[in-house]
Amino acid sequence: MSGAGGITTARQDSAAGDIPVDTPRLPAREAAESELSKPMYHENDPNFLQRALNQFWDWIAGVFDAAAGAAPGGPAGLVVLVVVVIGLAAALWWRLGTPQRSSRSADALFDGDGPRSAAQHRAAAEAHAAALRWNAAVQERMRAIVRSLEERALLDPRPGRTADEAAAEAGRALPEHTARLRAAARSFDDVTYGGRTADQATYLSLRTLDLELDEAKPLLPGTSRGVTG
């Protein structure tokens, strides 16, 4: 009896030793996180810049996927749409000309070479015209017009004045020339900012206006047309 009892006891002890240890979940998870946080597991991880770039390209891909899904014809339709948009942009670029300046600087009308007299601007304009450089000739003749009006005290010298502003201000003193002054300012803007090309006729129009303005009598404040004193 004692032998059988001993065998039974041994079997019970052996069975008890085979029961797995049940580790609580929270400590196990904390132990795993602690182990995975060691530097040895992160040697090949992408750096911050790489992660940011990956996220950016994932976002770009998502945008194109969404656009392809919404565009008629799927991806092929999206390609056609992109080509059409590029074509429209090229057409606008050709029609409007190369944007020379996005905004007007302090030297919108006069360049940064220092103040020059009307006679100097006229001489420069004639030199450009003789060399068939009509754009530069138009620019210098418009500057000569404005500088001449400043020298005659019909315009106050003001840095940063644009051609349009000069034409509007001069038109108040010389109302009979208002329309032609504005046309001259538009010609200046077209060749300076709009990428247009002037010709001989454009230059001769400004030259004639310059000569006529030099002889024109201004409308004095407090008087009206046809009234002499």
Side-chain angles (χ1 to χ4, degrees):
M1 296 294 292
S2 62
I7 295 173
T8 302
T9 302
R11 288 178 178 176
Q12 291 176 349
D13 293 340
S14 175
D18 292 338
I19 297 175
V21 178
D22 187 10
T23 305
R25 292 183 179 181
L26 182 59
R29 185 176 64 186
E30 292 177 348
E33 291 176 350
S34 176
E35 177 66 21
L36 293 176
S37 65
K38 295 179 179 180
M40 61 180 294
Y41 295 103
H42 302 278
E43 293 178 352
N44 298 320
D45 286 357
N47 57 32
F48 175 78
L49 179 60
Q50 291 174 328
R51 292 197 302 272
L53 288 174
N54 291 337
Q55 292 177 356
F56 173 75
W57 289 118
D58 290 342
W59 177 78
I60 292 293
V63 170
F64 274 96
D65 290 342
L78 178 61
V79 172
V80 173
L81 182 61
V82 170
V83 171
V84 170
V85 171
I86 293 175
L88 290 175
L92 287 174
W93 186 282
W94 177 83
R95 177 66 180 84
L96 299 177
T98 303
Q100 301 294 323
R101 302 166 77 170
S102 59
S103 61
R104 302 216 173 140
S105 67
D107 294 320
L109 180 58
F110 295 101
D111 54 31
D113 295 335
R116 291 186 290 171
S117 67
Q120 289 174 313
H121 285 295
R122 287 177 181 134
E126 288 295 300
H128 288 304
L132 305 183
R133 295 189 294 266
W134 301 118
N135 280 15
V138 165
Q139 291 171 324
E140 287 299 321
R141 184 57 69 166
M142 185 63 195
R143 290 166 180 151
I145 290 173
V146 175
R147 184 67 77 203
S148 176
L149 295 173
E150 291 177 347
E151 291 173 354
R152 295 172 59 191
L154 298 180
L155 288 178
D156 294 329
R158 178 162 56 84
R161 177 188 279 120
T162 66
D164 292 330
E165 292 171 344
E169 294 171 17
R172 289 192 285 269
L174 300 164
E176 295 181 357
H177 296 83
T178 299
R180 296 174 64 193
L181 282 165
R182 290 177 177 173
R186 284 195 301 270
S187 297
F188 178 89
D189 289 343
D190 285 345
V191 301
T192 305
Y193 309 114
R196 304 294 178 85
T197 301
D199 55 18
Q200 183 180 16
T202 304
Y203 172 71
L204 291 178
S205 176
L206 268 73
R207 183 177 183 273
T208 300
L209 176 62
D210 184 20
L211 296 176
E212 291 181 3
L213 289 176
D214 202 38
E215 300 294 332
K217 294 182 179 181
L219 182 67
L220 299 177
T223 63
S224 58
R225 296 184 190 180
V227 177
T228 58

